[in-house]
Amino acid sequence: WEYLACSYLLSGNLFARIVRPSYRLSDVSGLQPLDPCRVRVLQLRTGEVVYEVQDAATQGTEIVLAADMLHVPALGFDGLLGMSPVRHAGSRAMRISLAAEEFSEAFFTNGARPDFVIKTAGKLSQEHAEVLLQTWNQRFAGGANRMKPVVLTGGMDITQLSMTAEDASLIATRQFQVEDICRIYGVPPFMVGHTSNTTSWGSGVENMGRGFLKFTLQRHLVKIEQELNRKLWPHRDSYFCEFN
C-alpha cells in the first residue's frame, strides 16, 4: 500500500490487479501492485475501458478487464487517466529547488564568500593565467582552506566583489521552495519540519493536523474506499471497507 500511495501521488494513478483463485470465481485472493509506467488505459469502441499491462520480465502485454483492476486516479481525471502532480504542477518548482540546492553546494564549497578578481599591473599570458587559476583552486578553494593566508607576488592585488541581492536572498528562496512544493500536495509545512512561520507545538499544530485530514487526505481516502468497495464487493451490501 505504501508503493501504491507513492504511485498515486507521483504519477497520478494507482493500479493494482485483483488476483482471483480462478477465472470462474469472483473471489479475491490478493492484490498485485502494478507500475503505472507499464499500464495503458484503453477505451474500446463500445465504451468499455480495459487495461493493457506490460510484463517487466518478458515485455509481453496482457489485457485486464476493468472489473479485475483497482484504478484510483488523482486530480485531473479525464475518464481514463489522472494527472501527475509532479509533471503538471510541481515540475517548475522542483527544478527551481534543485537549482538552488546546486548553487548552495557550489557557494559553500568555495568558501561561502562572494567572487573576487586578482589584478596585476603587468599582462599575463593565457598559459600563466591558467596556471595561476589552477594553483589558486588547489590551495584556497573549499571551506577548509578559507582561513589560509594568501601570499601574492609580482604586483598582484585582490579586489573582492560585493554580494548581490540575488546571492543574499538564497536562503529565502530555498525556504519559499519548501512551501511551494508543500502547497502542491496540500501538506502543511510544519509536517516536513518547516516551522519558521508557525508554532511547532500545542493546539495550533493539532488543529492544522485536523485540517490536513479534512481538506487534504479526505479527498484521497474517499476515492480509495469507493474503488475498493466497488470492485471487491460489487453485490454485497453487508461488507465494506473504510479508513479509520
Side-chain angles (χ1 to χ4, degrees):
W1 278 106
E2 184 176 356
Y3 173 80
L4 291 175
C6 289
S7 299
Y8 170 79
L9 293 173
L10 296 178
S11 70
N13 293 278
L14 178 158
F15 293 109
R17 183 174 182 174
I18 301 174
V19 181
R20 306 186 189 278
S22 172
Y23 69 90
R24 294 188 179 93
L25 300 176
S26 61
D27 298 340
V28 178
S29 59
L31 299 175
Q32 178 189 1
L34 299 175
D35 184 354
C37 297
R38 297 186 178 276
V39 180
R40 290 181 58 202
V41 184
L42 306 175
Q43 188 171 24
L44 306 179
R45 293 181 179 179
T46 59
E48 181 183 4
V49 175
V50 297
Y51 299 86
E52 184 183 68
V53 181
Q54 183 185 45
D55 188 272
T58 63
Q59 300 300 317
T61 58
E62 181 183 3
I63 298 297
V64 178
L65 300 179
D68 295 326
M69 179 73 74
L70 289 180
H71 178 201
V72 181
L75 294 175
F77 182 54
D78 61 358
L80 295 179
L81 288 170
M83 296 173 60
S84 167
V86 174
R87 185 179 303 112
H88 292 91
S91 59
R92 180 168 297 181
M94 293 178 183
R95 287 199 302 268
I96 294 175
S97 180
L98 290 173
E101 185 173 353
E102 292 175 358
F103 179 84
S104 300
E105 180 183 2
F107 183 73
F108 287 103
T109 300
N110 287 284
R113 56 188 174 189
D115 296 333
F116 54 86
V117 293
I118 302 177
K119 299 190 299 183
T120 178
K123 184 177 181 180
L124 293 178
S125 65
Q126 182 69 22
E127 181 180 358
H128 288 166
E130 292 178 356
V131 171
L132 175 62
L133 179 61
Q134 182 179 1
T135 304
W136 182 278
N137 287 333
Q138 290 176 351
R139 293 185 179 180
F140 304 113
N145 299 325
R146 61 176 305 186
M147 302 304 296
K148 288 184 177 181
V150 180
V151 179
L152 298 178
T153 60
M156 291 185 178
D157 187 21
I158 293 181
T159 300
Q160 184 169 312
L161 302 178
S162 61
M163 181 179 287
T164 64
E166 289 79 7
D167 294 333
S169 64
L170 174 63
I171 295 179
T173 300
R174 300 195 66 188
Q175 290 178 345
F176 175 76
Q177 289 311 123
V178 172
E179 299 176 3
D180 208 17
I181 295 175
C182 284
R183 191 177 296 116
I184 295 169
Y185 284 99
V187 176
F190 81 91
M191 296 188 70
V192 298
H194 186 75
T195 58
S196 58
N197 296 324
T198 184
T199 178
S200 58
W201 61 279
S203 59
V205 168
E206 182 181 0
N207 291 330
M208 284 188 289
R210 292 178 179 176
F212 173 69
L213 175 62
K214 179 178 180 181
F215 298 113
T216 299
L217 284 186
Q218 192 69 18
R219 60 188 173 93
H220 302 304
L221 300 181
V222 168
K223 287 192 289 186
I224 296 176
E225 290 173 350
Q226 291 179 346
E227 180 70 357
L228 287 171
N229 290 323
R230 187 167 71 102
K231 296 292 178 66
L232 299 183
W233 299 288
H235 305 297
R236 298 181 185 179
D237 296 334
S238 59
Y239 294 99
F240 67 93
C241 63
E242 66 179 8
F243 287 98
N244 185 358

